[in-house]
Amino acid sequence: MTDTITATRRRRGLLLAGTGAAAVIALALSAYGLRTWPTARGVSSGPALWAWTPLAALLLAQTVLYLCERPHRADAQEQAHLDRLHVAVLVPVFNEDNGYLRAALSSLLAQTRPPDSVHIVDDGSELSHRVVRRWWTAAAREHGIPTTWHRTPNRGKRHAQVLAARQCPGADVLVTIDSDAQLAPDALHEVLQPLADPRAQAVAGLVLARNNRNGLLSRITDLWYVTCQMVERSAQSPLGSVMVASGSLAAYRADILTDHAEAYLSETFMGRPVTFSDDSMLTLYALVRGRVVQQPTAVVFTAMPEELGHHVRQYLRWMHGSSLRSLWRVRYLPARHPALTAQLLRWFQQLATTAALLWLLALHLRPGPLPSPLLVAVPLLLTAGQTLRYLVVRRSDQTLRSQLATWALTPLAMLWSWAVLRPLRWYGAATCWQTGWGTRQAGAEVRLAAPPPHRPAAV
């Protein structure tokens, strides 16, 4: 069995204060830009500084909201109800590295709240998983966990999930995990906690990169991805408006998938079948019915791209799906749903930041004296304030010193976001009719190496 990895939460006071302080300073600099706009010295930089004002205000609003996020804790009566639920875990597999696949399945055996059944579908992999299948069948039997393993022709992840769900028609909760997702020992217990509230239809776990120290790209990706969850999703969670419950770890009331199976399998856009963005589609079904929240104590470790080509293809797929799903949210969500407001604010944020960056670029390219350095200081402060949230998570596989080294990459991560990810976002929006998966078509792209030694998690 692979080594167990865990994560807990640090005290957040100083980190939260730092985020708020960054936003306040950015607002003050923006106000300075507005005040100096009419003057000769401020004529070039004043308006650009002022352009950051709504973004700083948005960060302040996000800070207030994620301050309100609390992991749900079921009382004794609610916990007794949760313990009686049949929890089925669905694991679609396609060309997965056998090391990561075995680590994912091993983590299911180590859960403090064991799954009631596990259903695996090999979606026509070209890689052989026979050895892992034999090991898993024996290990699941030894642990008393009913399991199924089917191999089908390649029809896509959605078909694999629906087939897996059909193996457990009596399930109350369906937990989706990816084939490279290693759960923390209490992940299943934690991800079920919010479902004690009957209004909650789905729960998102917290996804961390297991291979976050395998190169500069994986560090930057981990920093950015964790920050997005701990800022954006943590701000959406108190309103029950989390827009994507990541496929690495998410829990749904079973009828979310079973009632929508036909529509889920037959989604099209511009006449083309949609095979990606499965997690955001299931989340949309859940949002239409009620609340979707994040449980930040339900932790899963997954594999992030280590090569540039893999990173670009994955991000493009995410942006294709994000662009398409945003249209569906505006079309199908009730007018008063907080997720609809969150989607409209996201559009505003994307347009505002892109406009401000183009303005900044134009000012630097024009002849004459360079504009004020404050133009770069404001977005850097905003970004550094947000990425402080990366330090809230205490990991057993990473020291605080290592986390600080990753956080110190914030300026580089911001530059990467501006120069690479933002153009990819707009390209993805412009080509969202391209519905191919894009990764793992020629086999596993990330392989599990021997895990480095790590200290036990602190509480």
Side-chain angles (χ1 to χ4, degrees):
M1 184 176 296
T2 58
D3 290 351
T4 298
I5 308 177
T6 59
T8 57
R9 303 289 293 278
R10 287 193 177 92
R11 296 193 178 194
R12 301 174 296 168
L14 290 176
L15 302 178
L16 295 172
T19 307
V24 169
I25 294 171
L27 280 171
L29 290 174
S30 300
Y32 166 80
L34 180 61
R35 182 179 65 81
T36 59
W37 189 346
T39 68
R41 178 170 178 169
V43 70
S44 63
S45 59
L49 278 170
W50 180 57
W52 295 113
T53 303
L55 303 178
L58 180 60
L59 176 55
L60 274 178
Q62 285 180 326
T63 303
V64 172
L65 283 171
Y66 66 61
L67 272 170
C68 298
E69 184 189 39
R70 294 289 186 276
H72 189 93
R73 287 288 170 259
D75 59 30
Q77 183 177 358
E78 291 172 334
Q79 188 60 54
H81 169 68
L82 293 176
D83 290 341
R84 290 192 297 269
L85 297 178
H86 182 111
V87 177
V89 177
L90 314 182
V91 190
V93 179
F94 178 67
N95 282 348
E96 185 58 77
D97 172 67
N98 282 306
Y100 272 112
L101 178 57
R102 180 158 179 159
L105 298 178
S106 293
S107 70
L108 292 174
L109 302 176
Q111 291 300 298
T112 58
R113 197 287 189 196
D116 295 288
S117 61
V118 177
H119 306 280
I120 303 163
V121 174
D122 182 346
D123 186 37
S125 298
E126 296 178 6
L127 296 178
S128 173
H129 301 304
R130 286 195 298 261
V131 173
V132 177
R133 178 175 182 171
R134 286 197 298 267
W135 161 80
W136 167 252
T137 302
R141 185 186 308 115
E142 181 182 345
H143 285 76
I145 300 176
T147 188
T148 61
W149 187 308
H150 289 84
R151 176 176 169 82
T152 67
N154 180 237
R155 301 180 66 192
K157 184 176 180 180
R158 299 188 189 204
H159 285 273
Q161 288 177 325
V162 170
L163 175 59
R166 286 173 178 164
Q167 309 310 307
C168 49
D172 301 296
V173 177
L174 300 177
V175 174
T176 64
I177 72 168
D178 287 339
S179 54
D180 60 358
Q182 182 176 353
L183 305 183
D186 61 348
L188 282 185
H189 170 81
E190 290 295 325
V191 82
L192 294 175
Q193 293 295 297
L195 295 179
D197 181 352
R199 299 173 300 170
Q201 300 297 307
V203 184
L206 179 65
V207 185
L208 308 179
R210 174 166 181 169
N211 57 335
N212 66 317
R213 287 175 290 173
N214 291 6
L216 183 62
L217 180 60
S218 60
R219 276 189 182 268
I220 291 176
T221 303
D222 185 45
L223 172 64
W224 209 252
Y225 194 45
V226 173
T227 297
C228 287
Q229 294 174 90
M230 298 300 291
V231 172
E232 187 172 3
R233 290 186 192 173
S234 290
Q236 295 166 356
S237 188
L239 303 176
S241 61
V242 170
M243 291 192 285
V244 181
S246 297
S248 294
L249 175 59
Y252 300 90
R253 299 198 185 275
D255 54 5
I256 295 296
L257 178 55
T258 56
D259 289 356
H260 298 92
E262 184 177 350
Y264 185 56
L265 295 177
S266 60
E267 182 188 6
T268 60
F269 181 68
M270 298 180 66
R272 295 168 177 257
V274 179
T275 59
F276 54 59
S277 199
D278 46 275
D279 47 8
S280 63
M281 191 65 189
L282 288 175
T283 308
L284 178 58
Y285 292 144
L287 284 169
V288 171
R289 291 193 176 188
R291 292 169 57 85
V292 179
V293 300
Q294 176 178 249
Q295 180 77 341
T297 51
V299 179
V300 59
F301 296 83
T302 190
M304 291 292 179
E306 298 175 5
E307 302 293 336
L308 179 60
H310 183 198
H311 173 70
V312 169
R313 292 194 304 275
Q314 182 189 71
Y315 193 77
L316 265 180
R317 185 181 75 239
W318 287 354
M319 292 305 100
H320 288 152
S322 175
S323 302
L324 172 58
R325 201 62 65 230
S326 63
L327 298 176
W328 275 195
R329 293 187 193 107
V330 173
R331 179 176 179 180
Y332 293 111
L333 285 176
R336 295 185 179 181
H337 203 297
L340 178 58
T341 303
Q343 178 60 62
L344 296 176
L345 285 174
R346 177 182 285 183
W347 277 350
F348 165 77
Q349 183 182 25
Q350 292 170 359
L351 290 171
T353 53
T354 301
L357 291 174
L358 291 176
W359 192 347
L360 178 61
L361 181 62
L363 289 176
H364 277 84
L365 292 179
R366 67 172 178 79
L370 292 176
S372 169
L374 292 178
L375 291 178
V376 176
V378 172
L380 183 58
L381 278 168
L382 292 173
T383 305
Q386 289 183 316
T387 55
L388 277 172
R389 293 281 284 169
Y390 179 80
L391 302 177
V392 170
V393 182
R394 176 183 294 179
R395 302 172 52 146
S396 66
D397 64 334
Q398 193 176 12
T399 64
L400 176 59
R401 180 177 179 180
S402 178
Q403 284 186 284
L404 287 170
T406 300
W407 178 77
L409 296 173
T410 293
L412 185 58
M414 185 182 75
L415 180 61
W416 184 257
S417 174
W418 286 9
V420 179
L421 299 186
R422 192 165 299 276
L424 284 176
R425 173 182 292 275
W426 287 109
Y427 178 76
T431 60
C432 60
W433 51 271
Q434 297 179 0
T435 56
W437 191 260
T439 58
R440 212 183 293 171
Q441 301 303 306
E445 298 195 65
V446 182
R447 290 177 169 79
L448 181 61
H454 55 266
R455 57 184 176 82
V459 178

